Amino acid sequence: MRLSCVMFDLDGTLVDTAPDLMRCLNLALLQHGFAEASPAAIKPFISFGARAMIAASLTAPADNRTEEALLETMLDCYESHIADHSVFFAGIEDTLKLIEAQGLKWGVVTNKRKRFTNPLMAALNLTGRAACIVSGDTTAFEKPHPEPMLTACKLAGVEPEQCVYIGDASHDIAAGKNANMKTLAARYGYLKPGDRPETWGADAVIESPAQITDWIGAHTCH
């Protein structure tokens, strides 16, 4: 392939957002009379959104009204504390520098809503560097549908066949494959205990961001 663009999932792949998400989830739980949840138990659900995190944190299902109240409290907190403690995964900054030094483009395709994606990207000084930023509500569909991926390609001015997509959930790999991109499954992300990334059909499974650099090196024309 002629690699032109490296695309990333956001939470659990590009940025470790768990500290801020967990803090706001636990604030919401305590405020509404529930026990705090442990990060280890909830982190695997981050890739599936705030509702999934809330459901996983409750020992028994709550009524819709309670769940909506928890969600509103959590998200209002998160919007105000979008990047207090969120950091790049170790090695990601070097990977982005390498991508840019080689004249390649990079972008983000996430199921996170624009309300949170755009401020987070801005807080990390990534907005002007990314060739495309596609959120869960940018198009009519979310991953694993290919539309967000294809929209990202149009924004970046590249063809899907020239892209590799990196994510830490099975729906990330499915989305990349559905759009005819190469895919890398990030085992370092927010995996569930039963997840087996090697079964997702990715072109490779990576243990760390440093292996993204290795993969790019092997697929870039010199």
Side-chain angles (χ1 to χ4, degrees):
M1 68 177 296
R2 185 172 67 84
L3 183 64
S4 297
C5 188
V6 181
M7 295 194 184
F8 297 89
D9 173 48
L10 188 51
D11 302 72
T13 303
L14 193 69
V15 182
D16 184 3
T17 53
D20 290 316
L21 286 164
M22 284 302 309
R23 176 178 173 273
C24 292
L25 170 64
N26 279 327
L27 181 145
L29 289 169
L30 290 173
Q31 189 169 316
H32 292 278
F34 296 93
E36 286 191 349
S38 76
I42 305 304
K43 195 181 286 189
F45 295 91
I46 289 176
S47 294
F48 297 87
R51 288 184 187 278
M53 291 175 66
I54 290 169
S57 70
L58 300 175
T59 53
D63 59 70
N64 287 344
R65 191 172 177 180
T66 302
E67 282 198 9
E68 289 303 316
L70 283 165
L71 183 67
E72 183 177 358
T73 302
M74 176 185 171
L75 295 184
D76 284 348
C77 169
Y78 185 54
E79 189 170 29
S80 300
H81 301 276
I82 198 77
D84 287 2
H85 304 287
S86 294
V87 294
F88 294 110
F89 283 98
I92 283 292
E93 289 178 282
D94 289 339
T95 299
L96 294 180
K97 288 175 184 174
L98 172 101
I99 291 168
E100 293 168 345
Q102 294 198 6
L104 302 173
K105 296 177 180 180
W106 68 269
V108 166
V109 185
T110 175
N111 280 352
K112 201 180 192 80
R113 296 294 181 259
K114 284 183 279 190
R115 171 187 172 190
F116 309 107
T117 302
N118 292 343
L120 177 60
M121 292 288 286
L124 296 171
N125 297 313
L126 295 177
T127 308
R129 295 170 65 183
C132 58
I133 302 171
V134 175
S135 298
D137 51 352
T138 300
T139 72
F141 298 93
E142 294 183 344
K143 297 176 294 184
H145 197 282
E147 186 174 344
M149 319 301 288
L150 299 176
T151 298
C153 289
K154 288 176 184 173
L155 291 171
V158 296
E159 296 298 324
E161 294 80 9
Q162 301 170 346
C163 299
V164 59
Y165 185 67
I166 306 153
D168 66 320
S170 58
H171 58 254
D172 294 325
I173 304 309
K177 291 176 67 179
N178 289 340
N180 206 24
M181 296 179 178
K182 296 290 187 184
T183 55
L184 302 180
R187 198 192 296 274
Y188 64 82
Y190 303 146
L191 270 61
K192 294 179 181 176
D195 277 347
R196 295 175 57 209
E198 64 275 9
T199 67
W200 296 348
D203 291 281
V205 178
I206 54 172
E207 307 290 337
S208 69
Q211 291 186 310
I212 300 172
T213 302
D214 294 340
W215 192 93
I216 292 171
H219 292 79
T220 307
C221 296
H222 297 288

